[in-house]
Amino acid sequence: MNAFLAALRERLGEAGLLAGGDLSAHEQDWRKRYPGRALAVARPASTDEVAAVLELCHAHRVPVVPQGGNTGLVGASTPDDSGRQLVLSLTRMKRIRGIDVANASLTAEAGCVLADVQAAAAEAGLLFPLSLAAEGSCTLGGNLATNAGGTQVLRYGNARELCLGLEVVTATGEVWQGLSGLRKDNTGYDLRDLFIGSEGTLGVITAATMKLYPQPRERLTALAACASLDDAVALLGLARERAGDALTGFEVMNRASLALVARELPQLHQPLGAAGWTVLLELSDAESAEHARDLFEGLLEAAVERGCVQDAAIAQNLQQAKTFWHLREAIPLAQAQAGLNIKHDISLPVSAIPGFVAEMDALLTAYLPGIEVIDFGHLGDGNLHYNVQAPAGVAPGEFLAAHEAAINGKVYDAVCRLGGSISAEHGIGRLKREELAMRKDPVALGLMRAIKKALDPQGLMNPERML
Ligand SMILES: Cc1cc2nc3c(=O)[nH]c(=O)nc-3n(C[C@H](O)[C@H](O)[C@H](O)COP(=O)(O)OP(=O)(O)OC[C@H]3O[C@@H](n4cnc5c(N)ncnc54)[C@H](O)[C@@H]3O)c2cc1C
């Protein structure tokens, strides 16, 4: 190990290697579920340096954990507690390499913080639509490695759909130069799609070319109170029918989610009274502010007439729109503040969601009275964060130890029976590795293992994550 670290230091310089000292920011995952210990943290500043790190890891058989902003929620971006795994942090690679306005594309390095990518696109008069609550810390490389979703998937798709090309360093230290702004390229297997969503288990993404879109003329946000999830689904249908592609956000929050925010973050203003389900809608209009407002008012009036909305508020200005979004984005923060909970990031056909929630709420309440379900998410994408919190007075740690396996079993059995997925957007990591092995189609698992072996023959890339 000493020879390995000395070679790394020589190649990366003092700024490029953290060894000894306090490495805790790189060793602890965001949810604080997987405390780890790193051999060291490599901080390469260029693609060539990443290649040198992986070449050395390959030669010395050192396992590598790629890391971006370390906001991942499945325990895939931090080392285990062996003290043998090298963290490879991309955060020094944060250059926007270029923007091609005519091609509506942007090329940026993997360590660019998502909010900085959005800002660079905006400066060029264009929109980079990927958006999630962690956007001030998560990185473009992490977004692609997890195929992140977020709040704009309904209109623009997830990270995979926004990506045109990648630059990747392979497990043996070769550089695959696949940065392309092409929208059509049928020249064999799609390597780009292989690395997207691979959670650092196949190689290291060092840069990407991403799609940009026109900036909407106006963006309007509203909150709507619905009595039931069936009503929220009816509102989604109506919003799609009336607004078409202009509907860019459709988020739901159950009563318990907003009550938790009120408890943990009382400074946040909640404009509507408590409702069974509160929906956050966003319209992005290409025409004008008046057109957007007319569309929104017409939609909400029709929804009230049909009886699927009880009350609604349209944000009057940008600040108010931010406040509305902040409520939705504050839910994970309020949950983190309240302590550990059992998280499920699931997707289902939208039509199956109300039935799933009714069945599961009843099943879990019968299983453990007092249990609290914090249920929120991207209803427009069929993606729910169905999180289960300990009954009042029960310590979260004890609750997880005693009930996590049983509750996961109940939730995932129902999800699979209804044709859903056990991971909609957060990935597999360490958190869902066993579930994946049990529930994924065996042929698909066999193919995934074959790909892993072909691309990472020594099994050094993020070992024991996902597979
Ligand atoms: C408050 C909060 C809200 C969130 N909301 C959402 C949401 O709405 N939608 C959503 O999808 N996710 C969400 N997440 C999860 C998380 O932010 C995303 O998964 C994000 O894409 C991770 O980016 P990161 O740079 O932090 O990656 P990290 O956490 O550092 O890494 C995540 C995974 O990617 C790998 N990786 C990182 N960089 C690279 C690279 N350059 N090459 C290869 N592999 C790499 C890591 O090894 C790990 O497996 C949220 C997280 C938080 C804390």
Side-chain angles (χ1 to χ4, degrees), residues 229 345-360 375 378-384 386 411-424:
L229 202 43
D345 161 41
I346 53 175
S347 68
L348 287 158
V350 172
S351 49
I353 286 183
F356 165 83
V357 170
E359 175 191 332
M360 204 43 56
D375 191 0
H378 319 291
L379 184 68
D381 317 326
N383 176 192
L384 282 188
Y386 189 87
V411 172
Y412 294 141
D413 282 351
V415 165
C416 293
R417 177 165 41 81
L418 294 167
S421 165
I422 62 164
S423 179

Side-chain angles (χ1 to χ4, degrees), residues 21-375:
D22 179 13
L23 304 179
S24 56
H26 297 277
E27 293 173 325
Q28 179 70 263
D29 65 301
W30 195 84
R31 292 183 64 203
K32 301 193 170 41
R33 280 202 67 163
Y34 299 97
R37 202 160 57 84
L39 169 67
V41 179
R43 301 172 67 241
S46 66
T47 303
D48 283 348
E49 288 189 359
V50 174
V53 173
L54 290 190
E55 222 178 282
L56 280 169
C57 288
H58 186 65
H60 292 257
R61 293 182 170 251
V62 174
V64 194
V65 180
Q67 190 179 81
N70 196 14
T71 66
L73 298 174
V74 292
S77 52
T78 46
D80 66 14
D81 57 8
S82 67
R84 289 194 61 249
Q85 301 188 334
L86 178 79
V87 172
L88 196 169
S89 167
L90 277 298
T91 48
R92 285 176 78 210
M93 291 191 61
K94 51 184 181 193
R95 211 159 49 87
I96 303 285
R97 290 194 186 162
I99 298 183
D100 184 340
V101 173
N103 193 51
S105 62
L106 165 153
T107 300
E109 291 182 342
C112 284
V113 169
L114 174 56
D116 294 341
V117 179
Q118 295 165 345
E123 223 169 273
L126 291 166
L127 171 76
F128 180 58
L130 188 68
S131 176
L132 43 132
E135 64 198 24
S137 325
C138 65
T139 61
L140 184 60
N143 299 147
L144 287 161
T146 58
N147 186 24
T151 56
Q152 304 282 300
V153 174
L154 187 61
R155 164 69 180 86
Y156 300 102
N158 46 25
R160 183 187 302 284
E161 281 148 288
L162 293 170
C163 182
L164 293 168
L166 288 182
E167 179 186 88
V168 170
V169 178
T170 68
T172 53
E174 287 179 301
V175 179
W176 167 48
Q177 196 44 261
L179 285 178
S180 136
L182 300 179
R183 278 156 172 89
K184 289 187 162 184
D185 178 12
N186 275 350
T187 52
Y189 301 140
D190 197 329
L191 299 175
R192 176 194 62 196
D193 272 353
L194 210 51
F195 288 101
I196 296 174
S198 66
E199 298 182 28
T201 62
L202 300 179
V204 175
I205 297 166
T206 47
T209 301
M210 307 298 294
K211 289 181 194 167
L212 301 178
Y213 288 83
Q215 284 278 5
R217 285 270 160 78
E218 179 68 316
R219 210 178 243 178
L220 278 186
T221 308
L223 289 175
C226 296
S228 68
L229 202 43
D230 280 311
D231 283 350
V233 171
L235 176 62
L236 174 64
L238 192 65
R240 279 201 171 121
E241 188 185 304
R242 294 216 165 201
D245 261 2
L247 180 68
T248 45
F250 196 97
E251 303 283 312
V252 290
M253 304 165 267
N254 74 347
R255 188 192 298 266
S257 304
L258 290 180
L260 178 74
V261 171
R263 270 201 314 271
E264 296 292 331
L265 304 161
Q267 69 277 18
L268 294 186
H269 174 59
Q270 301 208 11
L272 297 183
W277 290 82
T278 301
V279 178
L280 185 152
L281 301 100
E282 183 190 81
L283 294 190
S284 299
D285 197 287
E287 278 188 37
S288 66
E290 294 84 66
H291 186 260
R293 200 160 280 277
D294 287 352
L295 189 63
F296 228 158
E297 284 171 0
L299 162 65
L300 290 170
E301 272 166 27
V304 170
E305 262 168 40
R306 280 198 198 177
C308 58
V309 164
Q310 299 170 315
D311 191 10
I314 300 179
Q316 294 306 310
N317 51 45
L318 196 61
Q319 189 48 43
Q320 213 174 24
K322 280 189 181 155
T323 313
F324 288 8
W325 271 109
H326 198 45
L327 266 185
R328 159 64 184 86
E329 288 169 352
I331 300 171
L333 306 176
Q335 282 209 283
Q337 217 162 284
L340 284 176
N341 55 81
I342 305 173
K343 285 197 191 306
H344 306 102
D345 161 41
I346 53 175
S347 68
L348 287 158
V350 172
S351 49
I353 286 183
F356 165 83
V357 170
E359 175 191 332
M360 204 43 56
D361 284 1
L363 197 70
L364 294 184
T365 311
Y367 167 74
L368 192 65
I371 224 165
E372 200 171 24
V373 178
I374 305 297
D375 191 0

